[in-house]
Amino acid sequence: MPPKNLSFEFKKEISQLFITLFEEGKKPIRWGSRRETLAESINRVVKKLRQNERFNQFTITNPLACRILFEIVIDKKRCDPKRTTTLGLTENRLEPGIHGLTFNWNGRTIYYMPTDAYTRSQMTMPQVYNHLAKRIGLIPEIKSKKERASIVRNLPTRFYRIQSKAFVTYKSNILPLYRGLPTPPKVNKKAVRDCIIEGANWIVTNQKESGKFLYYYDASTGSTQDFQHPNSDYYNILRHAGGTITLLQVYDLTNDKKYLSAARKSVEFLISTFQYHQVGNDVACYPFFNKKSKLGGAGIALVALLRYQQATHDTVYEKKTKGLILHILSRIEEDGEMIGYFIHPLYNDGKELIAPSETMKTELFSFYYPGEALLGLVLSLQVMETLETKLRAKIYEKCELAFNFLIKKRPIKYSHLFHNLPSDGWLMQAVESWILTGGKVQQSYIDFVHNDSLAMINHMYKNNNSPYPDYPGMFYYTYGEHAYPDGARSEGLIAAYSLARFLSDNKKTDLYFPYLKLAAQALLYTFNSEESSYAHRFPSASRGSFRFKLTRQWVRIDSAQHAICFFTRLLPYLK
């Protein structure tokens, strides 16, 4: 008999079981069977695994090297593949990692096991049905993914939705799985700090000699080819600057010089992208990358340089920091609107956009860039004690103009671009910094931060309304859809919490804190720990990183950045 915490009921009518072997750098091997008894089923699977020509490549006697996944079907119900969805809580819901599918085709019984979503890095119905198309041999003949998925959904056979119990070995232990994942530790100071350190170490370990970070990594395959830019060696300078900020926050927490050294390398790469232009009698600068100059690129670069100066008291980059300030100020129009791009290859023949039309402004609109830029300007008032009086006054003046536009005018001018789940965490942080550093307080600024926070909380799965136990702390646009774990929005929430503390608003701090812990718990589910990385092609390469989603194995520098920066801010408040 298995231990009680690993128990399940064997039903000979439905209890198909699979055993899968995973090991670093090797393609997994798996076999499934269903016999009259559990013992017969296991013996059959073990026999077939041993007959596999690659079986001897796996060191199954070494639990540190070889991880063994055991999964058995415990429930089976008819379903209509044409109606399966991840969007609604209906009888046709097929939740990635929790539900699977089985059907008969050409004399074979095909199983898509619930853990396949996690082990194969899948999250959507098209991904599931394209995988099944490959299983039944449609790939060579039909090139269109949409057509392949449609053919599978319309196969003349009965489909069944299945659920399973699954376990994986870990050292001398056996871990129960939910959605293919071991349950992470509960949020506490140690768990959060460990994630911060391991996450920062992952960033440093994968930093290149040039100072660039590992931008994208698919842990399921070991590929670094970004899925959004499959035909190029893509990199993003905003996310590079965000990685720099992350290292500096972890250095501030630990005083470990390796993070500062890595941050210095990344700053050197960042400033190598700078170009210069005249603003009045002064020289301004901006990052120019991928043939673009983004307002957000200048903003996050400014934050990175200021955080570096703050951490080291080194003014070596002060001239370039001032150049970024001048550039950002030049992008704030008289009504306070901030122009999203200075250079874009598809506008004005790739030349500077000095006076863009209203149509251009709308087409180049970004929720994130103005908040990023304003955060940089506000931090400059705090960090740069050598700012000339005239420039300091201009920063105050322009910041007020921009805040007023963003908070009062933007929701009217660009109302069609707003969603019920806010996404402007950068602007929330900018307002927090503005008020904490002595900027002129307007109630509308405070209301903006708290209204966005409340809207985020209203669109967050909670313990009392969550369809699945790992959803609380994750966000949704429409209730019932697949959840979004989100470090960037969590940074906005903790900015609201910090602001409430500063203003001695105890009602708000008491309201926000439980949701900050929920958001942190949700992000722990995306952390690639040693326990959870069993299905990765190279687990040693992915440990310490953060996935975008629950079952998708994509990792990017910003998925680590936002989670770590949120955790470093949350850590002092945890008991």
Side-chain angles (χ1 to χ4, degrees):
M1 286 289 291
K4 287 183 179 179
N5 65 327
L6 305 179
S7 63
F8 55 86
E9 182 183 358
F10 179 82
K11 304 173 186 177
K12 66 179 182 180
E13 299 81 13
I14 65 169
S15 290
Q16 176 84 6
L17 70 84
F18 285 86
I19 295 177
T20 313
L21 306 184
F22 296 94
E23 193 162 331
E24 177 101 14
K26 298 179 175 66
K27 185 178 178 182
I29 59 173
R30 177 167 85 163
W31 193 266
S33 182
R34 176 165 54 87
R35 292 292 188 262
E36 285 293 309
T37 67
L38 177 60
E40 289 177 302
S41 301
I42 292 174
N43 289 337
R44 170 68 174 171
V45 171
V46 170
K47 178 181 178 181
K48 297 302 289 186
L49 285 172
R50 289 183 177 278
Q51 290 174 355
N52 188 293
E53 61 183 11
R54 293 192 295 111
F55 177 78
N56 289 330
Q57 296 175 10
F58 291 80
T59 52
I60 60 169
T61 56
N62 182 358
L64 297 176
C66 182
R67 304 284 296 273
I68 303 172
L69 172 66
F70 177 95
E71 184 171 17
I72 187 165
V73 175
I74 60 169
D75 189 56
K76 177 180 174 183
K77 292 179 181 175
R78 277 290 303 274
C79 72
D80 182 352
K82 295 185 287 299
R83 300 173 66 189
T84 50
T85 179
T86 60
L87 300 177
L89 298 174
T90 70
E91 61 183 9
N92 293 299
R93 174 75 166 213
L94 203 146
E95 178 67 12
I98 294 174
H99 300 131
L101 288 170
T102 184
F103 59 96
N104 292 317
W105 188 247
N106 282 347
R108 296 167 57 206
T109 302
I110 306 295
Y111 279 90
Y112 180 84
M113 294 297 282
T115 61
D116 284 357
Y118 179 68
T119 63
R120 299 180 185 277
S121 184
Q122 294 166 353
M123 196 187 79
T124 67
M125 290 297 92
Q127 289 162 358
V128 170
Y129 288 115
N130 268 278
H131 168 74
L132 291 173
K134 184 177 181 180
R135 294 276 303 278
I136 64 174
L138 291 180
I139 293 293
E141 293 81 13
I142 299 171
K143 304 300 182 186
S144 164
K145 290 183 179 180
K146 185 176 181 181
E147 188 179 353
R148 288 199 301 261
S150 177
I151 289 173
V152 174
R153 290 182 117 144
N154 286 279
L155 288 176
T157 185
R158 290 185 174 187
F159 278 74
Y160 296 86
R161 189 182 71 167
I162 56 176
Q163 291 182 266
S164 69
K165 279 284 190 82
F167 316 95
V168 71
T169 58
Y170 173 65
K171 298 180 179 177
S172 60
N173 301 318
I174 299 175
L175 306 178
L177 301 179
Y178 184 79
R179 205 185 293 270
L181 291 158
T183 302
K186 292 292 184 185
V187 168
N188 59 58
K189 206 146 193 159
K190 182 183 184 305
V192 168
R193 185 184 174 88
D194 286 349
C195 276
I196 292 170
I197 301 304
E198 291 181 50
N201 288 344
W202 180 82
I203 293 174
V204 172
T205 299
N206 289 285
Q207 187 178 31
K208 300 175 183 177
E209 196 55 41
S210 64
K212 293 167 74 173
F213 300 112
L214 175 58
Y215 177 71
Y216 171 87
Y217 184 65
D218 185 343
S220 68
T221 63
S223 171
T224 58
Q225 186 67 62
D226 179 13
F227 74 100
Q228 290 180 316
H229 305 88
N231 300 315
S232 65
D233 185 20
Y234 183 77
Y235 198 66
N236 184 299
I237 203 65
L238 278 82
R239 291 169 182 145
H240 174 87
T244 308
I245 295 165
T246 307
L247 291 173
L248 291 167
Q249 285 193 207
V250 179
Y251 171 67
D252 183 56
L253 173 69
T254 63
N255 206 33
D256 188 330
K257 293 291 177 64
K258 73 180 177 186
Y259 303 122
L260 181 60
S261 176
R264 187 180 295 114
K265 276 174 66 175
S266 65
V267 167
E268 286 296 323
F269 176 79
L270 176 62
I271 64 174
S272 74
T273 70
F274 284 10
Q275 293 197 5
Y276 301 85
H277 68 118
Q278 202 74 21
V279 173
N281 295 321
D282 297 304
V283 176
C285 61
Y286 55 88
F288 182 72
F289 203 77
N290 291 335
K291 300 180 181 179
K292 296 174 184 175
S293 168
K294 304 174 182 179
L295 177 69
I300 300 298
L302 177 56
V303 174
L305 294 188
L306 289 166
R307 292 297 189 203
Y308 183 83
Q309 183 173 330
Q310 205 171 28
T312 62
H313 306 290
D314 188 343
T315 58
V316 65
Y317 300 117
E318 197 165 76
K319 188 174 180 181
K320 289 179 172 61
T321 306
K322 182 181 174 183
L324 289 170
I325 293 169
L326 293 168
H327 172 73
I328 293 171
L329 291 174
S330 75
R331 306 309 293 158
I332 303 176
E333 301 207 315
E334 289 184 6
D335 66 351
E337 183 164 6
M338 305 178 84
I339 309 305
Y341 284 80
F342 185 50
I343 296 173
H344 193 293
L346 302 181
Y347 294 84
N348 196 31
D349 296 323
K351 298 172 185 173
E352 296 175 358
L353 295 168
I354 303 300
S357 66
E358 289 299 317
T359 301
M360 280 188 190
K361 289 179 188 176
T362 301
E363 291 174 354
L364 297 174
F365 174 86
S366 166
F367 268 105
Y368 313 111
Y369 297 168
E372 292 165 338
L374 272 177
L375 180 58
L377 291 178
V378 173
L379 282 176
S380 72
L381 295 170
Q382 177 186 346
V383 175
M384 295 185 71
E385 297 175 358
T386 59
L387 280 176
E388 302 93 329
T389 303
K390 187 176 179 181
L391 179 56
R392 184 175 287 272
K394 188 172 184 181
I395 294 171
Y396 272 111
E397 175 196 346
K398 288 278 194 174
C399 280
E400 282 199 56
L401 274 175
F403 276 127
N404 273 304
F405 177 85
L406 291 167
I407 291 167
K408 297 177 182 177
K409 300 176 184 177
R410 182 178 64 168
I412 299 170
K413 181 173 181 179
Y414 295 111
S415 61
H416 59 292
L417 298 174
F418 280 71
H419 296 285
N420 54 10
L421 173 61
S423 58
D424 212 345
W426 287 106
L427 183 56
M428 295 166 78
Q429 293 178 76
V431 171
E432 173 210 7
S433 294
W434 175 253
I435 294 175
L436 265 61
T437 55
K440 184 178 177 182
V441 179
Q442 290 196 32
Q443 189 60 41
S444 60
Y445 299 2
I446 299 170
D447 291 344
F448 157 74
V449 172
H450 292 317
N451 288 339
D452 267 26
S453 296
L454 292 172
M456 288 181 187
I457 289 170
N458 286 336
H459 287 84
M460 176 189 280
Y461 286 111
K462 306 170 185 69
N463 290 321
N464 65 352
N465 75 348
S466 175
Y468 305 103
D470 54 355
Y471 266 20
M474 301 184 193
F475 300 94
Y476 61 85
Y477 288 92
T478 302
Y479 178 77
E481 69 184 352
H482 192 64
Y484 300 94
D486 197 325
R489 286 187 171 96
S490 300
E491 285 186 274
L493 276 179
I494 203 161
Y497 176 77
S498 168
L499 182 59
R501 286 176 64 95
F502 179 77
L503 297 173
S504 301
D505 189 339
N506 294 331
K507 280 190 176 181
K508 289 286 194 306
T509 57
D510 290 346
L511 170 66
Y512 292 149
F513 193 68
Y515 295 111
L516 291 174
K517 290 183 70 175
L518 272 186
Q521 190 68 59
L523 288 169
L524 287 178
Y525 275 101
T526 70
F527 179 68
N528 287 321
S529 65
E530 188 175 14
E531 293 90 334
S532 66
S533 55
Y534 67 91
H536 296 178
R537 181 58 61 90
F538 302 100
S540 60
S542 58
R543 286 178 199 141
S545 58
F546 289 81
R547 300 184 307 283
F548 286 19
K549 309 290 182 184
L550 283 168
T551 57
R552 256 304 195 183
Q553 301 294 351
W554 297 336
V555 168
R556 205 167 58 190
I557 181 62
D558 56 317
S559 58
Q561 168 209 333
H562 289 300
I564 295 169
C565 286
F566 168 58
F567 281 166
T568 58
R569 294 205 61 187
L570 178 65
L571 189 65
Y573 303 123
L574 294 173
K575 295 181 181 178

